[in-house]
Amino acid sequence: MATIIALTNQKGGVGKTTTSSALASGLASFYDKKVLAVDLDPQGSLGFSLGLDIENGRTIYDVMRGQVSMQQAIQPTDYCDVVTSNILLSGAELEFTSHDRKLLLKQALAPVVASYDYVVIDTPPALNVLTVNAYAAADHLIIPMAPEILSLLGITQLKETIDSVREGLNPRLNVLGIILTKFNRRTLLAREVKEMAENVASQMGTCVFGTQIRTSVSVAEAPAHGLSVFDYSPKSNPSLDYKDFVQEVVSMTLGKKAAGGGING
């Protein structure tokens, strides 16, 4: 049964899609895991980053509307299987009105989770019905955060939504950790925000990942080539950092699974 991980932050520009892409490709490339990446962001950047033409093929929008099954929407890439998204998904808040609208993704994933080791979900930079669908389906959340005060504020606001989902939809939802991106440890701000992030993580019952992702132009360039950062620039700082981050995720999730906790039934 797959371990389902959603990456989330209502603040945009924090490296959420980059981290989703690196996690999905890293799990497949370095650990030989069978991975399904699901793009819940209407911008469709995750599928594009993994080398797909997001204008062709069935998308998660078609799946959540009930027009096709999850199996029919899955597309293979050089790294993992992907279900893409596009701008049509931006109308989800108004269009998905059924009583079970918060569980559409969980229900759609149910027939395929046994075929994968991991499902990685990229969410939109908002707290809406799409985000709640990801939280309802996930075993774990990972929160990417840039070393900025506004990014920190976004995390504190996430806590209310997470608590609400735990109360009603997914009591075993676990926050695996906060991953600091675009990090320059030489700046005072980065060090101060890291300390504040550790305080927020403690309040949420989680931690800040030991790895911080350093910034580099290679992160921005890789998606244009349809390559993971590991293949595009294997010796760059972000590539090395993301490799360490993926190792942390594997260690933590396998530990949770062995302990019988945090896995969404």
Side-chain angles (χ1 to χ4, degrees):
M1 188 68 68
T3 296
I4 304 175
I5 301 173
L7 288 96
T8 181
N9 193 327
Q10 70 175 43
K11 173 84 167 59
V14 299
K16 183 172 49 60
T17 298
T18 300
T19 304
S20 300
S21 173
L23 179 58
S25 57
L27 287 167
S29 299
F30 302 130
Y31 294 92
D32 199 28
K33 300 297 184 183
K34 189 160 175 55
V35 180
L36 174 64
V38 179
D39 195 350
L40 273 192
D41 188 342
Q43 295 179 68
S45 299
L46 181 60
F48 179 79
S49 297
L50 292 169
L52 289 176
D53 177 1
I54 63 172
E55 297 305 319
N56 291 312
R58 297 296 195 172
T59 69
I60 193 64
Y61 173 71
D62 300 315
V63 175
M64 295 177 77
R65 289 186 73 200
Q67 293 184 321
V68 298
S69 68
M70 186 68 79
Q71 294 96 319
Q72 291 171 309
I74 290 172
Q75 299 182 58
T77 72
D78 290 340
Y79 303 104
C80 61
D81 288 348
V82 180
V83 179
T84 61
S85 174
N86 61 32
I87 196 64
L88 293 174
L89 194 60
S90 60
E93 196 71 40
L94 297 176
E95 188 170 349
F96 300 155
T97 57
S98 63
H99 71 281
D100 62 347
R101 73 189 202 124
K102 297 177 181 178
L103 297 171
L104 294 174
L105 179 63
K106 182 175 183 177
Q107 293 166 352
L109 282 171
V112 302
V113 287
S115 301
Y116 294 93
D117 299 307
Y118 286 89
V119 176
V120 176
I121 305 170
D122 189 22
T123 62
L127 294 178
N128 57 22
V129 70
L130 296 173
T131 310
V132 172
N133 263 270
Y135 291 10
D139 300 309
H140 305 289
L141 300 180
I142 292 176
I143 305 173
M145 180 190 137
E148 305 163 355
I149 297 299
L150 291 179
S151 185
L152 189 67
L153 289 175
I155 292 181
T156 59
Q157 293 164 345
L158 278 179
K159 186 176 184 301
E160 292 182 15
T161 304
I162 293 168
D163 289 343
S164 175
V165 170
R166 281 174 174 157
E167 288 174 13
L169 296 171
N170 185 1
R172 290 183 286 179
L173 179 63
N174 173 58
V175 181
L176 201 63
I178 297 170
I179 176 71
L180 291 167
T181 62
K182 304 182 180 181
F183 197 79
N184 182 351
R185 59 177 56 91
R186 291 173 294 182
T187 67
L188 177 61
L189 177 61
R191 296 195 297 270
E192 289 178 339
V193 171
K194 180 175 184 287
E195 185 175 331
M196 288 186 281
E198 288 168 347
N199 291 333
V200 172
S202 178
Q203 295 168 19
M204 298 176 73
T206 188
C207 64
V208 175
F209 281 92
T211 305
Q212 291 89 48
I213 311 301
R214 289 167 288 179
T215 189
S216 165
V217 68
S218 61
V219 168
E221 292 174 345
H225 299 268
L227 295 172
S228 75
V229 67
F230 306 117
D231 284 341
Y232 180 72
S233 185
K235 295 182 180 179
S236 67
N237 287 335
S239 180
L240 299 173
D241 295 340
Y242 272 125
K243 189 172 183 179
D244 289 342
F245 163 68
V246 174
Q247 183 179 33
E248 281 193 78
V249 171
V250 170
S251 176
M252 293 167 75
T253 53
L254 290 180
K256 294 279 186 185
K257 210 159 199 174
I263 303 303
N264 186 8

